Amino acid sequence: MSTKTEISRRKLQLEEKGIAEKGSESDEVVIAISPAFGETQTSTIVDIPLANVLRETMAGIEEEGLKSRLVRFIDTADLGNLGNRGAELSGSGISVGIQSKGTALIHQADLLPLSNLELFPQAPLLDREKFRAIGKNAAKYAKGENPSPVTVENDPMARPKYQALAAVLHIKESKSIDESREPVELEAHFE
């Protein structure tokens, strides 16, 4: 299965490569994405194209000398589960979980779903540079380093300003959930 999405003069094509298996390479970081990512949703809550989110996260991982592996979870949109299960599939035990609206985290396989290495709950405050920094930090954790957390501003008005839109995007994401499907490995093509 393959989809193409027009994103700000760029196209993101996510090609399914089969059921995602546990990785064996310690130099990989799994990027675990939610069901609607690049499918029915093409940009974050603040209109950053998901193609750019993905590119920046992958670039941050590569800048640290590691590889990224992309996995879509179709049976859940819960960020803690995305990240935790992505980390369990990652050869390094580290993952970056990203919901379609842009909320993200860095997770480690031996932690509980609601316990993570770094959480970025305010998607409206995440820009391209932050996603690159998230990728870099995930790679550093995978290498056994203890990086300083990615700094993100705190805006107490972000929640009330975006709460209604976040609810709409969550409902849209939830409609893409198919609990009978296993996670699938994807290959990203940027045009």
Side-chain angles (χ1 to χ4, degrees), residues 126-183:
L126 298 179
D127 56 20
R128 292 174 64 168
E129 292 77 23
K130 297 296 183 199
F131 283 105
R132 185 175 287 240
I134 291 168
K136 286 178 75 72
N137 263 18
K140 288 179 180 177
Y141 287 116
K143 294 192 296 187
E145 297 177 15
N146 189 17
S148 297
V150 175
T151 56
V152 178
E153 297 73 25
N154 185 13
D155 180 0
M157 296 310 294
R159 184 178 176 135
K161 183 177 179 182
Y162 290 98
Q163 192 167 15
L165 180 56
V168 169
L169 292 176
H170 180 72
I171 291 168
K172 191 174 175 183
E173 179 101 76
S174 296
K175 288 182 177 178
S176 296
I177 293 173
D178 181 347
E179 293 181 356
S180 69
R181 301 255 339 252
E182 295 188 54

Side-chain angles (χ1 to χ4, degrees), residues 2 14 32 36-37 54 64 77 100 127 137-138 142 153 155-156 169 191:
S2 178
L14 297 174
F37 192 106
L54 201 51
E64 290 298 318
S100 299
D127 56 20
N137 263 18
E153 297 73 25
D155 180 0
L169 292 176
E191 299 174 13

Side-chain angles (χ1 to χ4, degrees), residues 26-94:
S26 62
D27 65 345
E28 73 171 12
V29 173
V30 164
I31 300 174
I33 61 173
S34 57
F37 192 106
E39 294 281 336
T40 58
Q41 295 188 46
T42 58
S43 60
T44 69
I45 196 167
V46 289
D47 207 28
I48 299 172
L50 292 176
N52 292 346
V53 167
L54 201 51
R55 275 186 159 185
E56 295 296 337
T57 306
M58 294 170 94
I61 293 167
E62 290 169 9
E63 285 173 358
E64 290 298 318
L66 301 190
K67 299 178 286 191
S68 60
R69 188 162 63 100
L70 187 59
V71 175
R72 180 192 306 280
F73 286 86
I74 306 157
D75 62 339
T76 184
D78 178 80
L79 185 60
N81 276 314
L82 288 174
N84 183 251
R85 292 171 60 203
E88 290 174 353
L89 292 177
S90 173
S92 68
I94 300 294

